[in-house]
């Protein structure tokens, strides 16, 4: 399958730093799309600790939203997403 070319994200306006949630969203989306260059770029926007916190927060929010949408518990949804057997 041929992947569509995507223009790189523009740099932030002068004097504006990317925040950890922008970095986490870009990093996770790039990883999901197997875009190593973009995930590496996003990882440079914040410290590794901040990126870890942002990715964790994104994961929690995503699992909670999917669980609500599918009328399941967050634990069941997380295990389902990771292809783990039911607890």
């Amino acid at each position: 399958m041929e992947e569509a070319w995507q223009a790189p994200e523009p740099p932030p306006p002068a004097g504006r730093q990317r925040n950890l949630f922008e970095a986490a969203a870009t990093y996770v989306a790039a990883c999901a799309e197997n875009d190593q260059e973009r995930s590496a770029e996003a990882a440079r926007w914040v410290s590794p600790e901040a990126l870890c916190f942002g990715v964790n927060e994104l994961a929690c929010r995503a699992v909670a939203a999917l669980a609500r949408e599918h009328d399941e518990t967050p634990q069941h949804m997380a295990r389902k997403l990771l292809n783990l057997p039911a607890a």
Side-chain angles (χ1 to χ4, degrees), residues 18-39:
R18 302 245 191 212
N19 72 38
L20 67 105
F21 295 117
E22 287 178 303
T26 300
Y27 179 82
V28 169
C31 288
E33 296 167 351
N34 201 27
D35 185 340
Q36 295 174 355
E37 186 175 316
R38 196 166 50 131
S39 66

Side-chain angles (χ1 to χ4, degrees), residues 4-10 35 37-38 41:
W5 180 84
Q6 291 183 349
E9 282 198 35
D35 185 340
E37 186 175 316
R38 196 166 50 131
E41 178 187 344

Side-chain angles (χ1 to χ4, degrees), residues 9-69:
E9 282 198 35
R16 180 179 169 268
Q17 295 277 335
R18 302 245 191 212
N19 72 38
L20 67 105
F21 295 117
E22 287 178 303
T26 300
Y27 179 82
V28 169
C31 288
E33 296 167 351
N34 201 27
D35 185 340
Q36 295 174 355
E37 186 175 316
R38 196 166 50 131
S39 66
E41 178 187 344
R44 290 189 296 269
W45 295 346
V46 295
S47 72
E49 296 82 10
L51 183 61
C52 182
F53 176 81
V55 169
N56 183 62
E57 185 65 23
L58 177 58
C60 290
R61 291 180 188 194
V63 167
L66 284 169
R68 276 192 309 274
E69 187 176 300

